[in-house]
Amino acid sequence: YITPTAITIITLSIIMGTILTMSSSNWLMAWIGLELNMLAILPIISKPKTTRASEATIKYFLTQAIASAMMLLSSTTNAWQTGNWDILELKNKFSTTIMALSLMMKMGAAPVHFWLPEVLQGTTLQTALLITTWQKLAPITLMYMISNNIQPALLMSAGVLSMVVGGLGGINQTQLRKTMAYSSINNLGWTIMIMALSPNLAIMNITIYIIMTTPIFLMMKNTSTKTLQNLTTTWTTSMAMTLSIALLMLSTSGLPPFTGFVPKMLALNELITQKLTTLATLAIMTSLISLLFYLRITYLIMMLTP
């Protein structure tokens, strides 16, 4: 049991940490914000007194600590070379690469995504919601700030890899939290890929993803749905919620005419404008893979709803 005072302190620390990182212009302050945020969320992940929750907490802590260490390495190397701690002045090539990898690890993008499905599966739906939405804001803001200095090839290859991993990983899942984790990796892929060409579009993409994911998690919480099997019986609780979950799943997959289609269409348009047709084709193909598991969920809901 966590006391109300502790809950207030933890909530404030999580909010303050993210805001501190998002509003700082100095690498050390950004790092302090991320650390504050990470330390505050640990008691929330470990709140259910199960071995799975403890395991999830340790996994989360270790990956975030490694990412923080990489972040410090990158910013100190850069400060050593240029004498500058400014976030926008990350000019050293080694530093930008390490920093990009560190931020990808913090938000859970491939190839350093391995912790995300495990952590989400080990914790409650509210915490899963927190990790897939709020916890991504700070690293994505930092990536947005240094997007001019990161090599586009790195961002694009990580983006495509995340799309593939997110698509293939989600197909064989029956646990909805793991499915949502892979869905998150897939959407991060789009965000990171387009970050190389149009950072504003990347921010729009992740914002729309957060707006669509939040109600899915909240409705799953409300109907206490944790597996695909549970999902087939949600209509007995609330018909409106069941249909909303189905439609939101289709929207997250990027199927027209839903909202989720807009950022993907704009991203593809940007890729084709920049003469990256092969990359655009690859993106569409991976989008089809992820569409498979979204459609399966929707089909299950729709077929078993009288």
Side-chain angles (χ1 to χ4, degrees):
Y1 174 69
I2 306 180
T3 59
T5 320
I7 288 174
T8 313
I9 294 171
I10 289 170
T11 311
L12 280 175
S13 301
I14 288 175
I15 295 169
M16 281 298 300
T18 300
I19 291 174
L20 182 63
T21 303
M22 288 170 79
S23 57
S24 69
S25 59
N26 181 300
W27 277 120
L28 279 177
M29 286 311 282
W31 176 79
I32 290 170
L34 284 168
E35 286 300 293
L36 175 67
N37 175 290
M38 188 251 296
L39 290 172
I41 202 173
L42 293 177
I44 294 185
I45 303 175
S46 64
K47 189 168 182 272
K49 292 288 171 279
T50 58
T51 44
R52 296 203 73 157
S54 314
E55 192 183 325
T57 314
I58 298 290
K59 282 177 180 167
Y60 186 81
F61 171 73
L62 287 176
T63 43
Q64 297 295 321
I66 293 167
S68 292
M70 284 166 67
M71 197 173 160
L72 271 184
L73 168 72
S74 162
S75 49
T76 36
T77 310
N78 187 65
W80 184 39
Q81 297 270 322
T82 61
N84 204 333
W85 282 100
D86 199 325
I87 290 182
L88 299 172
E89 297 296 319
L90 195 73
K91 295 280 191 281
N92 185 356
K93 224 168 194 171
F94 169 77
S95 291
T96 49
T97 309
I98 297 289
M99 185 60 77
L101 280 170
S102 147
L103 293 174
M104 283 172 202
M105 197 165 180
K106 279 217 170 283
M107 55 181 131
V112 276
H113 64 282
F114 45 82
W115 60 274
L116 189 64
E118 299 295 325
V119 171
L120 288 202
Q121 190 51 41
T123 187
T124 60
L125 283 166
Q126 298 106 302
T127 317
L129 169 64
L130 194 64
I131 294 172
T132 45
T133 54
W134 183 262
Q135 293 299 89
K136 297 208 188 314
L137 295 178
I140 281 177
T141 309
L142 287 176
M143 191 175 260
Y144 176 81
M145 290 169 83
I146 62 167
S147 57
N148 287 339
N149 300 327
I150 309 175
Q151 294 102 310
L154 175 70
L155 285 177
M156 286 178 192
S157 42
V160 171
L161 191 60
S162 294
M163 288 181 204
V164 175
V165 166
L168 292 176
I171 287 176
N172 214 11
Q173 296 296 337
T174 52
Q175 294 287 343
L176 284 177
R177 277 166 297 180
K178 276 198 173 171
T179 309
M180 293 306 288
Y182 283 110
S183 147
S184 170
I185 296 168
N186 181 40
N187 271 282
L188 271 176
W190 282 90
T191 306
I192 291 172
M193 178 185 71
I194 207 62
M195 186 78 81
L197 302 173
S198 167
N200 292 345
L201 199 51
I203 296 296
M204 176 191 153
N205 189 5
I206 199 71
T207 310
I208 289 181
Y209 166 72
I210 288 174
I211 291 169
M212 290 186 305
T213 304
T214 309
I216 294 180
F217 270 113
L218 292 177
M219 286 188 285
M220 274 161 52
K221 164 82 184 70
N222 210 338
T223 53
S224 61
T225 306
K226 287 190 175 68
T227 60
L228 273 180
Q229 202 176 359
N230 296 155
L231 204 54
T232 56
T233 55
T234 43
W235 58 269
T236 55
T237 318
S238 161
M239 196 65 145
M241 263 191 213
T242 313
L243 290 175
S244 303
I245 291 178
L247 292 175
L248 278 163
M249 285 285 181
L250 285 181
S251 185
T252 320
S253 71
L255 197 70
F258 300 102
T259 319
F261 173 62
V262 178
K264 289 193 175 179
M265 185 185 68
L266 292 172
L268 291 171
N269 180 42
E270 184 68 33
L271 286 173
I272 292 165
T273 311
Q274 303 279 358
K275 302 272 189 295
L276 295 163
T277 327
T278 321
L279 194 60
T281 314
L282 248 169
I284 294 172
M285 301 296 257
T286 53
S287 192
L288 280 176
I289 305 173
S290 60
L291 182 63
L292 186 64
F293 69 83
Y294 288 115
L295 273 176
R296 192 182 64 172
I297 295 172
T298 316
Y299 176 79
L300 265 177
I301 298 174
M302 293 305 197
M303 283 300 108
L304 296 161
T305 306

